[in-house]
Amino acid sequence: MDIARFKLQHVEILDSIARLREHARAGIVEHAADIAGLVVSMSSIIKVHLAVEDRMLYPAVQKQADRALAEMGRAYQEEMQKIAAAYIDFSRRWNTAAQVARDPEQFRAQANTVLKAVYQRMQKENREFYPAIEAM
């Protein structure tokens, strides 16, 4: 199974998270427009990534004869539902400069929680799940 597109999307998402972090460190209020723009662009990538995972990747993995890999796919899909829901809420709340500038500390707190979960999940996929898929 070719998962190059998924890997590329991970790179794009991780790059967006790094740029969000840079803008937040430089000043959330001062960079609210840049932050909101990154949230919107990153959301587009994440939504496509999640949709293709749900429609194609997870079902294909779960049909494999390798029961351990099939179960891994099922577990990853279930775990991702919680992370995705938290991210969707985050992206809806912080998709305009006005919203970001209005409550910078709440943005920072929620970004630290939600984006950390997204980051950790992608690292886990890169380290465990994708190599297992490529080995099948």
Side-chain angles (χ1 to χ4, degrees), residues 5-64:
R5 183 177 187 190
F6 292 103
K7 289 178 164 184
L8 178 59
Q9 289 168 336
H10 275 196
V11 169
E12 292 170 346
I13 295 164
L14 292 171
D15 179 60
S16 293
I17 291 172
R19 291 184 4 224
L20 277 170
R21 179 178 283 148
E22 290 170 9
H23 288 308
R25 285 185 184 141
I28 293 172
V29 173
E30 298 82 357
H31 296 277
D34 295 323
I35 289 169
L38 278 167
V39 168
V40 169
S41 66
M42 184 170 57
S43 294
S44 297
I45 299 166
I46 288 175
K47 288 176 185 176
V48 167
H49 185 80
L50 292 172
V52 176
E53 277 184 338
D54 278 343
R55 290 188 189 120
M56 295 176 62
L57 182 66
Y58 293 131
V61 169
Q62 291 170 18
K63 291 178 185 174
Q64 293 302 307

Side-chain angles (χ1 to χ4, degrees), residues 114-133:
V114 173
L115 298 179
K116 180 179 180 181
V118 170
Y119 176 87
Q120 289 175 335
R121 170 52 187 258
M122 286 191 300
Q123 293 297 340
K124 184 178 174 184
E125 287 179 358
N126 289 342
R127 189 176 56 252
E128 297 172 6
F129 192 47
Y130 288 174
I133 291 169

Side-chain angles (χ1 to χ4, degrees), residues 87-121:
Y87 180 79
I88 297 301
D89 289 344
F90 170 83
S91 68
R92 286 184 182 146
R93 181 168 183 191
W94 306 109
N95 63 4
T96 69
Q99 290 167 304
V100 172
R102 186 176 308 122
D103 198 350
E105 291 312 310
Q106 185 61 36
F107 169 80
R108 183 185 312 278
Q110 194 172 12
N112 284 339
T113 301
V114 173
L115 298 179
K116 180 179 180 181
V118 170
Y119 176 87
Q120 289 175 335
R121 170 52 187 258

Side-chain angles (χ1 to χ4, degrees), residues 70-90:
E71 182 52 40
M72 181 187 287
R74 195 171 354 276
Y76 268 74
Q77 187 174 26
E78 288 175 14
E79 179 184 87
M80 194 62 218
Q81 290 172 353
K82 294 174 199 156
I83 296 168
Y87 180 79
I88 297 301
D89 289 344
F90 170 83

